[in-house]
Amino acid sequence: MYENTFPNKRFKKTIEFLEDVVSPPAKILDLGVENPFSKIMKDHNYQVENTNGEDLDLVTDAVKSSEYDAVTAFEIFEHLVAPFNVLRDIQATKLIATVPLKLWFADAYQNKNDLRDRHFHEFEDWQFNWLLEKAGWEIKKTLKWTNPVGKIGVRPLLRKVTPRYYAVFAERR
């Protein structure tokens, strides 16, 4: 998945944000199958369970349990056609999520060989906030950061100054 492009900066910023808003050993339901960031959360003493790869647009049963202290969704909602459904159905009282922000100078991401590895949404911060609020969440904290790439050109320069990632901590209203 991360051949030659392991997202060290994104993972570092994400774990710092998570630790700032939810302390270990919180019990977390992490949306999406187990992944390298699941291991990072476990290494930071969180109790982490992942969903099983079900289509969260259609099957939201995994989030309908109140046994978790928080639900995390790191780079998940942009892949869903209807993220509102799963956001509305989450029973945990805390949500920590990151999404890639829409970049005016780049097309939405799409892997033509993998139907699950594409972005249906690339949000502007206000759009993601509105989605969360409409689904019953109150935003408590946010953070944006850039994703510079080691290349030369106009787009790489824009990536150094334009926020690419957006993290949100929200609580159920």
Side-chain angles (χ1 to χ4, degrees), residues 8-126:
N8 291 311
K9 179 180 180 180
R10 178 172 54 121
F11 284 0
K12 181 179 185 295
K13 291 277 193 186
T14 303
I15 197 67
E16 288 171 353
F17 186 81
L18 176 62
E19 288 178 319
D20 189 43
V21 297
V22 176
S23 299
K27 188 172 183 182
I28 291 177
L29 175 63
D30 185 35
L31 301 186
V33 297
E34 192 166 353
N35 59 76
F37 196 75
S38 305
K39 181 174 179 348
I40 290 170
M41 287 191 290
K42 289 175 183 175
D43 290 347
H44 283 79
N45 299 315
Y46 290 97
Q47 300 173 48
V48 180
E49 292 181 32
N50 285 84
T51 54
N52 296 312
E54 63 270 36
D55 186 339
L56 294 171
D57 276 318
L58 302 171
V59 181
T60 63
D61 296 341
V63 301
K64 292 180 179 176
S65 169
S66 59
E67 70 179 272
Y68 300 99
D69 299 311
V71 168
T72 56
F74 301 121
E75 311 300 307
I76 296 296
F77 294 125
E78 66 275 11
H79 298 277
L80 300 178
V81 173
F84 175 81
N85 298 326
V86 72
L87 283 164
R88 178 196 57 212
D89 289 349
I90 293 172
Q91 295 300 303
T93 58
K94 296 178 180 173
L95 172 70
I96 304 88
T98 60
V99 293
L101 291 169
K102 180 177 175 19
L103 298 176
W104 59 271
F105 55 86
D107 293 333
Y109 173 74
Q110 136 174 248
N111 178 341
K112 293 183 180 183
N113 299 316
D114 184 349
L115 292 175
R116 296 186 132 202
D117 189 20
R118 349 184 127 176
H119 292 181
F120 189 83
H121 303 278
E122 288 196 343
F123 298 95
E124 292 185 34
D125 57 355
W126 70 267

Side-chain angles (χ1 to χ4, degrees), residues 142-159:
T142 65
L143 177 69
K144 293 181 193 176
W145 64 91
T146 61
N147 184 41
V149 293
K151 296 179 182 177
I152 297 172
V154 174
R155 285 187 187 183
L157 177 63
L158 291 171
R159 288 184 184 277

